[in-house]
Amino acid sequence: MNQLDILIPFALPPAELARDLLRQCQAPALAMLLGRGKAAAPRQSHDPFSRALPHEHWLAQRFGLPAPAQDSSPAAAAALMRQLGHAPQAGHWFVLHPAHIHVARDHLVLTDIGQLQLEEEESRRLFAAALPLFTEIGHELVYGDARTWFIRADAWAGLRTSTPSAASGRNVDIWMPEGPGELAWRKLQNEVQMQWFAESLNEQREMRGQKAINSIWIWGGAATGAVAQPAYADSFGLRGWMRAFGAETGDTGAAQVVQGSGQRLLVLDALAEAALAEEWGLWLQHLQHLDRDWLAPLLVSLRAGPLDAIELILTGPDRLSRTAVTRGSLRRFWRPASLAGLAA
């Protein structure tokens, strides 16, 4: 059977906003798929304080990353390193991202790293400035790309960390690492912050209206043997996850098509940035564009071939739903098209 799985992170808006948003939403193809389809599995609820978002947990399971021993971010570091051209021979590695943390009224907040527009030359300068601090305390630091670095910290195995998406826009105190190496990490993070405070690069960025790069974020701790099945893609964000799992992908702008394990997966990530920024008017626009540009053509393909079935995997900040749609189920004319499933 020719089946396509479609993952749409952040398609399930927060429950308190869902009904108002959906009254304004025009997404007829999605409404038809949800209205005529049936649940492929019971709806999953996730702890809102989990250290990874529902779609991140789902992707880690789909592509064979080992489950963390305790609540922590998925163990993606080793696989992501390999995809960025590094082959760690030993040790326990973490992903590092140059980040921006700003002061809210009474707490610190992490900005979505996808919004930072960090250029290669800027990242190299920051890396060079920070490198002596890591070398001094015996931690290897490896450059991956402009937004993705790696640190070896064998003694920190078991450190519970949070993905940047889980922590974005929220009080960072709740999402800071806990466990082995916690105090050493905080000390290192503070030293890097102080080092970068004096960098003229950040003054230049602010003059251009860009956010300063004033901190680093750690997640994804993995031993070098933590290997995932083939699957994932491009710069960090969802495409970074795709790259972490090693897939052959077709880069199609707002989407990634992954061929792996005998099934195809289409990741439509156009809603992520607006949802993390809580810009719900923009979220509505992106959902409507996604419906027009992707789901409507796929619905046509399901009606007439070559697709036989679609499974929609929709997630929100604390929920995940799966809906199976076949060509036959589209003939259930007595079942109205409806977006109600997004608010359930």
Side-chain angles (χ1 to χ4, degrees):
M1 182 171 67
N2 188 5
Q3 176 172 324
L4 177 65
D5 295 342
I6 304 173
L7 172 64
I8 311 180
F10 304 101
L12 303 178
E16 66 273 15
L17 301 175
R19 296 192 184 281
D20 289 338
L21 286 172
L22 298 181
R23 274 196 291 267
Q24 305 173 57
C25 185
Q26 300 296 318
L30 179 57
M32 180 63 71
L33 292 168
L34 291 175
R36 299 283 170 89
K38 65 178 182 179
R43 183 180 289 259
Q44 299 175 25
S45 295
H46 290 254
D47 181 352
F49 293 101
S50 172
R51 291 182 176 270
L53 293 176
H55 69 270
E56 295 173 324
H57 285 299
W58 186 88
L59 287 166
Q61 293 169 5
R62 167 86 179 231
F63 296 113
L65 284 184
Q70 302 181 59
D71 179 41
S72 189
S73 57
L80 182 52
M81 288 186 76
R82 293 185 181 93
Q83 288 304 307
L84 287 171
H86 302 283
Q89 300 300 311
H92 197 90
W93 292 83
F94 292 85
V95 184
L96 285 186
H97 297 299
H100 175 82
I101 293 176
H102 66 271
V103 180
R105 183 167 53 187
D106 58 359
H107 58 274
L108 299 176
V109 177
L110 177 70
T111 298
D112 174 19
I113 62 170
Q115 298 181 22
L116 294 183
Q117 300 173 315
L118 182 61
E119 300 295 333
E120 182 79 14
E121 185 271 338
E122 294 177 318
S123 184
R124 293 280 185 183
R125 284 177 59 185
L126 292 170
F127 182 89
L131 181 60
L133 300 174
F134 290 78
T135 303
E136 182 180 346
I137 59 175
H139 288 298
E140 186 175 354
L141 183 66
V142 172
Y143 187 94
D145 64 18
R147 289 191 286 178
T148 313
W149 308 347
F150 305 94
I151 176 178
R152 180 176 175 179
D154 297 358
W156 298 359
L159 183 67
R160 299 186 300 281
T161 60
S162 306
T163 67
S165 293
S168 288
R170 306 167 87 171
N171 184 342
V172 296
D173 286 343
I174 302 172
W175 309 98
M176 290 291 283
E178 296 180 343
E182 172 186 350
L183 295 180
W185 162 254
R186 287 184 181 242
K187 183 175 185 292
L188 177 60
Q189 185 184 38
N190 287 336
E191 290 175 348
V192 170
Q193 290 173 165
M194 288 188 290
Q195 178 68 33
W196 286 352
F197 180 77
E199 286 291 321
S200 61
L201 177 152
N202 276 322
E203 183 178 348
Q204 294 163 9
R205 285 180 60 88
E206 290 175 333
M207 290 177 65
R208 297 195 300 267
Q210 297 176 316
K211 296 182 185 300
I213 308 300
N214 60 11
S215 190
I216 47 178
W217 194 260
I218 188 171
W219 72 282
T224 52
V227 179
Q229 297 175 9
Y232 246 71
D234 203 15
S235 61
F236 186 77
L238 279 178
R239 297 189 183 100
W241 276 84
M242 303 273 287
R243 178 191 283 160
F245 303 126
E248 280 188 31
T249 61
D251 188 347
T252 46
Q256 297 293 330
V257 182
V258 178
Q259 185 80 45
S261 304
Q263 288 183 302
R264 290 178 299 160
L265 171 63
L266 173 67
V267 179
L268 297 171
D269 63 358
L271 305 178
E273 185 173 325
L276 288 171
E278 298 185 340
E279 295 180 356
W280 298 109
L282 188 59
W283 179 90
L284 279 172
Q285 293 178 35
H286 287 324
L287 181 58
Q288 289 165 188
H289 293 162
L290 183 154
D291 189 82
R292 179 195 65 205
D293 297 338
W294 287 99
L295 298 183
L298 288 168
L299 180 58
V300 171
S301 182
L302 182 58
R303 288 187 189 279
L307 281 178
D308 299 312
I310 286 173
E311 182 170 318
L312 289 172
I313 302 98
L314 309 179
T315 74
D318 57 2
R319 294 173 293 152
L320 182 147
S321 71
R322 295 169 55 189
T323 302
V325 193
T326 64
R327 187 174 300 121
S329 67
L330 291 178
R331 302 190 188 103
R332 299 171 183 167
F333 60 87
W334 59 91
R335 298 188 61 173
S338 175
L339 294 173
L342 299 183

